[in-house]
Amino acid sequence: MEGCPRLPAISFDPKVSIESVDLCEKIPNYITSTYQENGNKYSQECEQMNRLRQTTINSSADENGIQLLKRYYCQLQLLRNRFPMLPDTECAVRFTWEDAFQKEDNTYNDIRFEEACILYNLGAMYSRLGANESRRTHDSIKNACTYFRCAAACYEKVRDQYTTYTSDLTPDLLTCQVHILLAQAHEAVLEKSLLDQRAPSVNAHVAMQISEYYQMALLNLMKPGINSIVSKRFR
């Protein structure tokens, strides 16, 4: 295994949100007018949600950061299911996020945009954790493979379940990222297979899968409009 080249893995940058958001800005009034209940008595819960968002968007790339992103994503879905927070509805608020590649701010008064950005960042954090693994032990190889697969799953969900709000959420670009991540997950599988001294035919089959994923990533990367979005380091 020492003679096998181990290329540095690719990870993806997260999206950035620097503007503070009051998630529950309109919810107390909505509760009062709709349910004839004093909405202000939920001010503590609203403050907790806002603190959770602030902590989440500033979280570090580690297991704690992963758990924060997951928790906040679930809370966003609960909010959307309980209150009208889609565009032009009673409780809609504005969310501003920077494009991960173009570095331009984008704003939508749509909680689904916030969900998509958080899910994208979850994928980015998984990709960073995978890239940070040394892959020199069985456990590290296993961790890298798991992280890359989880990252790919996040980007697939963003692609399949959310609108293309911004250029970094373009389906072809997300598909390119998915293929890169799956290729890297299979590279970890190949490294494990070599360590275990599996049959050459098995190793060759995995290597072919890696090559196919990278070829598919390149095809998506070269589509019109996509190669102008990404950073030069991915060309």
Side-chain angles (χ1 to χ4, degrees):
M1 185 63 191
E2 291 300 325
C4 179
R6 184 183 288 106
L7 297 176
I10 293 173
S11 63
F12 299 103
D13 293 334
K15 296 171 72 67
V16 175
S17 177
I18 60 174
E19 292 190 9
S20 61
V21 174
D22 185 355
L23 284 162
C24 305
E25 176 185 1
K26 303 175 183 178
I27 288 178
N29 288 338
Y30 177 80
I31 292 175
T32 301
S33 62
T34 304
Y35 301 106
Q36 289 72 53
E37 183 181 359
N38 183 8
N40 291 324
K41 72 178 184 179
Y42 297 101
S43 59
Q44 184 175 354
E45 287 79 3
C46 291
E47 290 175 5
Q48 290 175 350
M49 276 295 300
N50 288 329
R51 285 198 299 270
L52 176 60
R53 182 185 194 271
Q54 196 62 31
T55 303
T56 300
I57 64 175
N58 293 310
S59 58
S60 55
D62 52 30
E63 288 294 340
N64 183 58
I66 292 291
Q67 295 307 315
L68 281 170
L69 286 162
K70 288 181 177 180
R71 180 185 172 195
Y72 180 52
Y73 179 76
C74 291
Q75 290 298 316
L76 287 172
Q77 292 189 311
L78 287 174
L79 277 178
R80 175 161 59 88
N81 289 332
R82 293 178 180 177
F83 301 103
M85 300 188 72
L86 299 182
D88 303 319
T89 57
E90 296 94 321
C91 298
V93 295
R94 291 166 58 88
F95 299 97
T96 300
W97 285 85
E98 184 182 84
D99 188 293
F101 292 96
Q102 304 284 26
K103 305 304 180 184
E104 299 173 350
D105 286 346
N106 299 275
T107 301
Y108 290 89
N109 62 334
D110 186 349
I111 195 172
R112 292 172 301 186
F113 176 53
E114 178 89 341
E115 290 177 22
C117 293
I118 292 299
L119 190 57
Y120 184 96
N121 278 8
L122 181 59
M125 189 173 291
Y126 271 128
S127 76
R128 185 164 297 180
L129 291 177
N132 287 342
E133 288 289 337
S134 67
R135 309 200 311 273
R136 295 187 180 278
T137 65
H138 283 80
D139 286 343
S140 183
I141 290 173
K142 180 180 178 181
N143 289 340
C145 182
T146 300
Y147 287 139
F148 289 137
R149 287 184 181 276
C150 288
C154 291
Y155 287 132
E156 283 181 326
K157 187 170 182 177
V158 174
R159 180 195 64 194
D160 297 340
Q161 297 188 15
Y162 291 93
T163 301
T164 306
Y165 293 99
T166 54
S167 61
D168 54 352
L169 303 182
T170 302
D172 285 336
L173 179 54
L174 290 167
T175 299
C176 174
Q177 291 170 288
V178 167
H179 287 151
I180 289 173
L181 291 163
L182 291 178
Q184 293 182 157
H186 278 72
E187 285 185 61
V189 172
L190 179 58
E191 290 170 351
K192 175 68 163 56
S193 183
L194 291 170
L195 278 175
D196 293 342
Q197 298 182 336
R198 301 287 297 276
S201 59
V202 174
N203 297 335
H205 178 71
V206 178
M208 286 181 62
Q209 288 183 311
I210 295 170
S211 176
E212 289 173 0
Y213 277 126
Y214 279 127
Q215 287 176 11
M216 289 188 289
L218 181 60
L219 287 175
N220 279 283
L221 184 61
M222 299 309 296
K223 287 183 178 180
I226 300 302
N227 58 359
S228 63
I229 295 174
V230 301
S231 169
K232 290 181 179 179
R233 71 190 180 102
F234 295 123
R235 295 184 187 175

